Amino acid sequence: MVSREENDLMTRVGADTPGGQLLRRYWQPVAAASELTAEKPIKKVKVLGENLVVYRDTAGRYGLVGELCPHRMASLAYGRVDDEGIRCPYHGWKFDGHGKCIEQPAEPQNSRYKDEIEHPGYPVQKLGGLLFAYMGPGEAPALPRWDVLAWEHGRRWVVRQQLLDCNWLQAMENSVDPSHLFWLHGATAHLANTVDGYEEQHDFIPFDYGIMKRRTTPNRRKPGTSEVDQHPLLFPNALRHVLRTKSQDLKIRHNIQFRLPVDDGHTQVFVVYFEPSDSVRTSADADVPLEHFNHKDENGEYRMDMVLAQDSMAWETQGAVMDRTREHLGAADRGVVILRRLLKEQIALVQAGGAPLGTQLATKQNAVIELDVINERIGVGSYKPDAA
Ligand code: FES
Ligand SMILES: [Fe+2]
């Protein structure tokens, strides 16, 4: 049973909360790179409960700073950028990407007042069409170069989903919940004919970056054999997946979904897709096309014929912050229990001064992290059991 205190511990994202302090130890996606242009170089964002602006200066550098100017609190979202940073629209105070105040035009010429000003500023890096920020203490860990973000042998694009009116953990618990697949997505994902495959086996295997989920299903086409589908939950708030398009060309589409905690009751999903190709190349640091996905139609109804919208329906109807004191977990919810245990363990580790899962792994500059994603049904990879 989850107590009220445990529910708060796992779901709160503010800077003064243990959960928020864990989330701040990981690079978080704050915008699609293509959302910042020369015409519109500043974008207002809310991340982990903080109101911020992300910008690109005229020298091409990115910054993420507090939205409200520390002078008299006007919004930097209406400011302007130059080759050094961002300037407030009201009286012209200027800040660099570290949040350091570097100019106060109306102050006396020799004034050092600007050196006393403290303003939030966080490092930003571009990868795979997204802008990632590190909002934690100390030196930032290496930004993980997940395969879908760093591969270059194909086409990449980003989908920004409609803002979800729910806490981030509801989306993540869904990623260790294999039994929802047939019921919520069965008809749409053409899996209905395997609904009676409840003899299937689910494994949740801890690994360097999170939890590897492995589903082993009897293969109807070859009786006596089985098929493996394996893909990881990347702790704490991403999911790596692969699918095949239903159109005639049956293209393989790898993807990674980031569930950004906007505040306690809102989550922004960014999905990056990568489609391998013989003729197209996309560099890891290129801006890529951006698409938008709405999980509701113009009447405010969930678009229940689409997989992403089906999931959104489930997560939002659980409540803004699901009340886990009232739930009734069953044996099939083992993955959810494993994720919560990992989350609480990692929160405690950070509170004790440690580095949480995955962040301590030294990534070699530019090394791509190839994840062991398998889906034998659609011909991606093949599972080789350890010889042990
Ligand atoms: S409010 Fe920003 S410079 Fe005055
Ligand atoms: Fe789902």
Side-chain angles (χ1 to χ4, degrees):
M1 256 268 287
V2 174
S3 66
R4 169 100 24 229
E5 292 69 32
E6 276 178 311
N7 204 34
D8 288 349
L9 178 76
M10 294 189 294
T11 54
R12 296 273 157 93
V13 305
D16 55 349
T17 66
Q21 287 158 7
L22 170 76
L23 290 160
R24 280 169 175 72
R25 302 298 288 269
Y26 294 86
W27 287 89
Q28 299 289 349
V30 299
S34 60
E35 291 179 287
L36 299 184
T37 58
E39 298 72 48
K40 214 176 164 297
I42 305 172
K43 184 175 169 62
K44 184 172 155 169
V45 292
K46 191 171 190 187
V47 183
L48 298 169
E50 298 184 34
N51 291 310
L52 305 165
V53 294
V54 60
Y55 68 88
R56 187 173 77 186
D57 69 20
T58 55
R61 285 175 309 214
Y62 295 97
L64 178 68
V65 298
E67 183 200 346
L68 300 185
C69 176
H71 176 220
R72 295 194 56 236
M73 315 310 285
S75 174
L76 297 178
Y78 297 91
R80 53 192 103 133
V81 297
D82 61 19
D83 61 357
E84 289 185 321
I86 184 168
R87 197 187 281 281
C88 177
Y90 203 177
H91 315 91
W93 285 22
K94 185 157 95 172
F95 303 88
D96 71 11
H98 305 284
K100 189 171 152 32
C101 184
I102 52 177
E103 233 180 78
Q104 294 169 319
E107 291 303 301
Q109 209 142 52
N110 299 321
S111 166
R112 304 309 305 169
Y113 180 39
K114 64 180 188 303
D115 300 337
E116 293 168 32
I117 306 298
E118 288 184 16
H119 191 60
Y122 305 110
V124 175
Q125 285 187 34
K126 177 162 77 166
L127 178 66
L130 290 176
L131 299 178
F132 290 89
Y134 178 74
M135 294 168 61
E139 205 191 321
L143 171 63
R145 296 176 68 81
W146 306 120
D147 43 18
V148 167
L149 303 179
W151 276 337
E152 303 204 327
H153 62 287
R155 187 167 76 90
R156 182 171 20 247
W157 70 103
V158 172
V159 174
R160 174 192 270 275
Q161 284 192 34
Q162 185 178 356
L163 185 69
L164 284 164
D165 293 329
C166 70
N167 182 258
W168 71 281
L169 188 56
Q170 280 146 241
M172 292 315 298
E173 288 182 341
N174 168 92
S175 294
V176 276
D177 173 5
S179 70
H180 87 274
L181 179 67
F182 298 125
W183 303 105
L184 188 62
H185 308 309
T188 317
H190 302 295
L191 294 165
N193 60 345
T194 54
V195 164
D196 56 348
Y198 262 78
E199 67 261 48
E200 69 170 27
Q201 185 191 326
H202 302 136
D203 296 300
F204 303 94
I205 305 142
F207 81 117
D208 289 350
Y209 295 105
I211 301 171
M212 185 63 83
K213 305 177 295 164
R214 184 182 301 148
R215 175 200 305 271
T216 311
T217 319
N219 183 346
R220 270 140 213 283
R221 286 164 290 146
K222 281 198 208 150
T225 65
S226 53
E227 283 177 323
V228 168
D229 169 353
Q230 143 172 320
H231 56 269
L233 178 156
L234 301 171
F235 187 82
N237 59 323
L239 175 72
R240 170 75 165 82
H241 206 277
V242 66
L243 51 86
R244 188 173 60 187
T245 58
K246 275 182 264 161
S247 58
Q248 263 183 333
D249 46 8
L250 297 177
K251 288 212 174 90
I252 294 298
R253 236 169 231 185
H254 292 275
N255 67 71
I256 185 165
Q257 301 186 19
F258 294 96
R259 285 83 179 249
L260 170 74
V262 168
D263 56 27
D264 290 346
H266 296 93
T267 301
Q268 176 64 60
V269 176
F270 292 100
V271 191
V272 181
Y273 287 94
F274 185 83
E275 208 172 77
S277 157
D278 294 332
S279 54
V280 185
R281 289 189 67 78
T282 310
S283 84
D285 59 5
D287 289 17
V288 302
L290 174 67
E291 294 174 8
H292 291 266
F293 175 78
N294 288 337
H295 51 253
K296 289 185 175 169
D297 63 19
E298 54 281 6
N299 301 318
E301 297 290 342
Y302 291 103
R303 298 161 72 192
M304 287 301 286
D305 57 342
M306 309 187 79
V307 170
L308 289 177
Q310 292 161 353
D311 282 320
S312 300
M313 178 283 296
W315 310 341
E316 287 190 340
T317 58
Q318 287 175 310
V321 180
M322 176 191 173
D323 181 359
R324 290 174 180 74
T325 66
R326 294 171 57 201
E327 69 183 357
H328 296 82
L329 296 186
D333 299 309
R334 194 163 46 94
V336 172
V337 173
I338 290 171
L339 174 61
R340 290 180 189 172
R341 196 185 304 143
L342 178 64
L343 178 57
K344 285 186 283 183
E345 189 186 287
Q346 296 298 314
I347 287 174
L349 180 67
V350 167
Q351 292 305 302
L357 188 69
T359 60
Q360 72 282 32
L361 293 174
T363 3
K364 275 183 276 136
Q365 197 65 34
N366 290 324
V368 178
I369 304 172
E370 301 265 358
L371 294 158
D372 200 7
V373 171
I374 298 171
N375 188 330
E376 293 179 327
R377 190 173 59 87
I378 63 171
V380 175
S382 70
Y383 175 60
K384 295 173 198 68
D386 296 339

